[in-house]
Short mmCIF file of all heavy atoms in Angstrom, two decimals:
data_model
loop_
_atom_site.label_atom_id
_atom_site.label_comp_id
_atom_site.label_asym_id
_atom_site.label_seq_id
_atom_site.Cartn_x
_atom_site.Cartn_y
_atom_site.Cartn_z
N LEU A 1203 -10.25 16.24 23.64
CA LEU A 1203 -9.62 17.44 23.02
C LEU A 1203 -8.77 18.25 24.09
O LEU A 1203 -7.67 18.63 23.83
CB LEU A 1203 -10.62 18.39 22.33
CG LEU A 1203 -11.11 17.73 20.94
CD1 LEU A 1203 -12.43 18.37 20.64
CD2 LEU A 1203 -10.08 18.02 19.89
N HIS A 1204 -9.43 18.45 25.22
CA HIS A 1204 -8.70 19.31 26.31
C HIS A 1204 -7.39 18.55 26.66
O HIS A 1204 -6.43 19.27 26.79
CB HIS A 1204 -9.68 19.41 27.47
CG HIS A 1204 -9.04 20.23 28.66
ND1 HIS A 1204 -8.90 21.61 28.65
CD2 HIS A 1204 -8.43 19.73 29.78
CE1 HIS A 1204 -8.39 21.95 29.76
NE2 HIS A 1204 -8.05 20.81 30.52
N LEU A 1205 -7.41 17.31 26.91
CA LEU A 1205 -6.17 16.66 27.34
C LEU A 1205 -5.20 16.66 26.28
O LEU A 1205 -4.00 16.84 26.51
CB LEU A 1205 -6.51 15.16 27.74
CG LEU A 1205 -7.17 14.92 29.00
CD1 LEU A 1205 -7.59 13.53 29.29
CD2 LEU A 1205 -6.28 15.45 30.22
N CYS A 1206 -5.56 16.46 24.99
CA CYS A 1206 -4.57 16.53 23.88
C CYS A 1206 -3.99 17.96 23.81
O CYS A 1206 -2.75 18.07 23.66
CB CYS A 1206 -5.21 16.16 22.62
SG CYS A 1206 -5.54 14.33 22.42
N VAL A 1207 -4.79 18.96 23.83
CA VAL A 1207 -4.39 20.30 23.77
C VAL A 1207 -3.33 20.63 24.95
O VAL A 1207 -2.31 21.26 24.71
CB VAL A 1207 -5.56 21.30 23.82
CG1 VAL A 1207 -5.07 22.82 24.01
CG2 VAL A 1207 -6.37 21.22 22.55
N GLU A 1208 -3.77 20.24 26.09
CA GLU A 1208 -2.86 20.60 27.23
C GLU A 1208 -1.54 19.74 27.30
O GLU A 1208 -0.51 20.28 27.70
CB GLU A 1208 -3.67 20.34 28.63
CG GLU A 1208 -4.84 21.26 28.74
CD GLU A 1208 -4.55 22.70 28.66
OE1 GLU A 1208 -3.68 23.22 29.39
OE2 GLU A 1208 -5.07 23.45 27.76
N ALA A 1209 -1.60 18.54 26.72
CA ALA A 1209 -0.43 17.77 26.60
C ALA A 1209 0.52 18.35 25.57
O ALA A 1209 1.79 18.40 25.77
CB ALA A 1209 -0.75 16.34 26.16
N VAL A 1210 -0.01 18.98 24.57
CA VAL A 1210 0.79 19.75 23.56
C VAL A 1210 1.42 20.89 24.27
O VAL A 1210 2.69 21.08 24.03
CB VAL A 1210 -0.11 20.10 22.38
CG1 VAL A 1210 0.66 21.24 21.52
CG2 VAL A 1210 -0.55 19.01 21.52
N LYS A 1211 0.80 21.62 25.05
CA LYS A 1211 1.30 22.79 25.71
C LYS A 1211 2.47 22.35 26.63
O LYS A 1211 3.56 23.04 26.65
CB LYS A 1211 0.25 23.49 26.50
CG LYS A 1211 -0.82 24.20 25.63
CD LYS A 1211 -1.92 24.75 26.53
CE LYS A 1211 -3.03 25.41 25.66
NZ LYS A 1211 -4.14 25.97 26.57
N GLN A 1212 2.28 21.31 27.38
CA GLN A 1212 3.24 20.84 28.26
C GLN A 1212 4.53 20.36 27.47
O GLN A 1212 5.64 20.71 27.83
CB GLN A 1212 2.77 19.67 29.14
CG GLN A 1212 1.69 20.08 30.19
CD GLN A 1212 2.28 20.86 31.26
OE1 GLN A 1212 3.40 20.69 31.68
NE2 GLN A 1212 1.49 21.82 31.87
N ALA A 1213 4.39 19.65 26.43
CA ALA A 1213 5.52 19.13 25.68
C ALA A 1213 6.28 20.23 24.98
O ALA A 1213 7.52 20.17 24.86
CB ALA A 1213 5.04 18.10 24.65
N PHE A 1214 5.54 21.29 24.60
CA PHE A 1214 6.25 22.37 23.86
C PHE A 1214 7.09 23.24 24.79
O PHE A 1214 7.93 24.01 24.35
CB PHE A 1214 5.14 23.29 23.20
CG PHE A 1214 4.84 22.87 21.76
CD1 PHE A 1214 4.48 21.55 21.49
CD2 PHE A 1214 4.81 23.77 20.72
CE1 PHE A 1214 4.20 21.16 20.19
CE2 PHE A 1214 4.55 23.40 19.40
CZ PHE A 1214 4.24 22.05 19.16
N LEU A 1215 6.93 23.07 26.07
CA LEU A 1215 7.75 23.73 27.08
C LEU A 1215 9.25 23.28 26.91
O LEU A 1215 10.14 24.06 27.25
CB LEU A 1215 7.37 23.52 28.49
CG LEU A 1215 5.93 24.03 28.92
CD1 LEU A 1215 5.58 23.60 30.27
CD2 LEU A 1215 5.98 25.58 28.82
N ASP A 1216 9.47 22.09 26.42
CA ASP A 1216 10.80 21.61 26.23
C ASP A 1216 11.40 21.84 24.82
O ASP A 1216 12.52 21.62 24.55
CB ASP A 1216 10.96 20.12 26.58
CG ASP A 1216 10.60 19.87 28.03
OD1 ASP A 1216 11.05 20.66 28.84
OD2 ASP A 1216 9.92 18.86 28.32
N ARG A 1217 10.45 22.17 23.90
CA ARG A 1217 10.86 22.23 22.54
C ARG A 1217 11.85 23.27 22.08
O ARG A 1217 12.64 23.19 21.10
CB ARG A 1217 9.66 22.38 21.63
CG ARG A 1217 9.80 21.82 20.16
CD ARG A 1217 8.55 21.96 19.37
NE ARG A 1217 8.23 23.34 19.13
CZ ARG A 1217 7.73 23.87 17.95
NH1 ARG A 1217 7.49 23.04 16.98
NH2 ARG A 1217 7.43 25.15 17.83
N HIS A 1218 11.94 24.39 22.87
CA HIS A 1218 12.83 25.50 22.58
C HIS A 1218 14.29 25.05 22.52
O HIS A 1218 15.14 25.77 21.84
CB HIS A 1218 12.65 26.58 23.58
CG HIS A 1218 13.25 26.32 24.93
ND1 HIS A 1218 12.57 25.51 25.84
CD2 HIS A 1218 14.44 26.61 25.55
CE1 HIS A 1218 13.19 25.31 26.88
NE2 HIS A 1218 14.34 25.96 26.79
N GLY A 1219 14.66 23.94 23.21
CA GLY A 1219 16.06 23.56 23.20
C GLY A 1219 16.46 22.67 22.01
O GLY A 1219 17.68 22.33 21.88
N LEU A 1220 15.58 22.34 21.13
CA LEU A 1220 15.91 21.42 20.09
C LEU A 1220 16.69 22.16 19.04
O LEU A 1220 16.36 23.31 18.58
CB LEU A 1220 14.60 20.89 19.42
CG LEU A 1220 13.71 19.99 20.29
CD1 LEU A 1220 12.45 19.52 19.59
CD2 LEU A 1220 14.51 18.72 20.74
N ALA A 1221 17.79 21.55 18.55
CA ALA A 1221 18.70 22.22 17.58
C ALA A 1221 19.57 21.08 16.99
O ALA A 1221 19.47 19.92 17.42
CB ALA A 1221 19.52 23.30 18.31
N ASP A 1222 20.47 21.50 16.18
CA ASP A 1222 21.47 20.59 15.63
C ASP A 1222 22.34 20.03 16.64
O ASP A 1222 23.04 20.72 17.36
CB ASP A 1222 22.25 21.37 14.57
CG ASP A 1222 23.24 20.50 13.75
OD1 ASP A 1222 23.39 19.29 14.11
OD2 ASP A 1222 23.73 20.98 12.71
N PRO A 1223 22.31 18.62 16.83
CA PRO A 1223 23.17 18.02 17.80
C PRO A 1223 24.63 18.32 17.65
O PRO A 1223 25.42 18.24 18.70
CB PRO A 1223 22.93 16.57 17.67
CG PRO A 1223 21.60 16.48 16.97
CD PRO A 1223 21.56 17.64 16.06
N ASP A 1224 25.11 18.64 16.44
CA ASP A 1224 26.45 19.00 16.24
C ASP A 1224 26.88 20.30 16.93
O ASP A 1224 28.03 20.59 17.25
CB ASP A 1224 26.80 19.12 14.75
CG ASP A 1224 26.69 17.81 13.93
OD1 ASP A 1224 26.58 16.78 14.67
OD2 ASP A 1224 26.61 17.87 12.77
N ALA A 1225 25.88 21.14 17.09
CA ALA A 1225 26.16 22.54 17.69
C ALA A 1225 25.80 22.46 19.20
O ALA A 1225 26.39 23.26 20.00
CB ALA A 1225 25.33 23.55 16.99
N ARG A 1226 24.78 21.75 19.65
CA ARG A 1226 24.40 21.71 20.98
C ARG A 1226 23.91 20.36 21.33
O ARG A 1226 23.10 19.79 20.61
CB ARG A 1226 23.29 22.74 21.27
CG ARG A 1226 22.84 22.79 22.73
CD ARG A 1226 21.97 23.91 23.00
NE ARG A 1226 22.60 25.24 22.85
CZ ARG A 1226 22.26 26.28 23.62
NH1 ARG A 1226 21.28 26.22 24.46
NH2 ARG A 1226 22.91 27.45 23.46
N ALA A 1227 24.30 19.82 22.56
CA ALA A 1227 23.92 18.45 22.88
C ALA A 1227 22.46 18.35 23.05
O ALA A 1227 21.81 19.32 23.48
CB ALA A 1227 24.67 18.09 24.24
N GLN A 1228 21.89 17.24 22.63
CA GLN A 1228 20.45 17.00 22.58
C GLN A 1228 20.18 15.89 23.53
O GLN A 1228 20.20 14.68 23.12
CB GLN A 1228 19.88 16.79 21.24
CG GLN A 1228 20.05 17.93 20.33
CD GLN A 1228 19.22 19.16 20.73
OE1 GLN A 1228 18.00 19.08 20.61
NE2 GLN A 1228 19.80 20.20 21.17
N PRO A 1229 19.78 16.08 24.79
CA PRO A 1229 19.57 15.03 25.79
C PRO A 1229 18.12 14.35 25.52
O PRO A 1229 17.19 14.53 26.24
CB PRO A 1229 19.55 15.74 27.14
CG PRO A 1229 19.09 17.08 26.83
CD PRO A 1229 19.56 17.43 25.40
N ILE A 1230 18.08 13.48 24.51
CA ILE A 1230 16.88 12.84 24.15
C ILE A 1230 16.26 12.02 25.33
O ILE A 1230 15.04 12.10 25.65
CB ILE A 1230 17.00 11.96 22.95
CG1 ILE A 1230 17.41 12.76 21.70
CG2 ILE A 1230 15.79 11.15 22.69
CD1 ILE A 1230 17.72 11.97 20.45
#
Side-chain angles (χ1 to χ4, degrees):
L1203 283 160
H1204 178 80
L1205 285 175
C1206 286
V1207 168
E1208 296 306 303
V1210 166
K1211 293 175 181 177
Q1212 292 289 331
F1214 270 51
L1215 293 173
D1216 296 321
R1217 201 180 68 143
H1218 69 282
L1220 296 177
D1222 187 344
D1224 293 347
R1226 179 171 295 209
Q1228 297 291 294
I1230 295 175

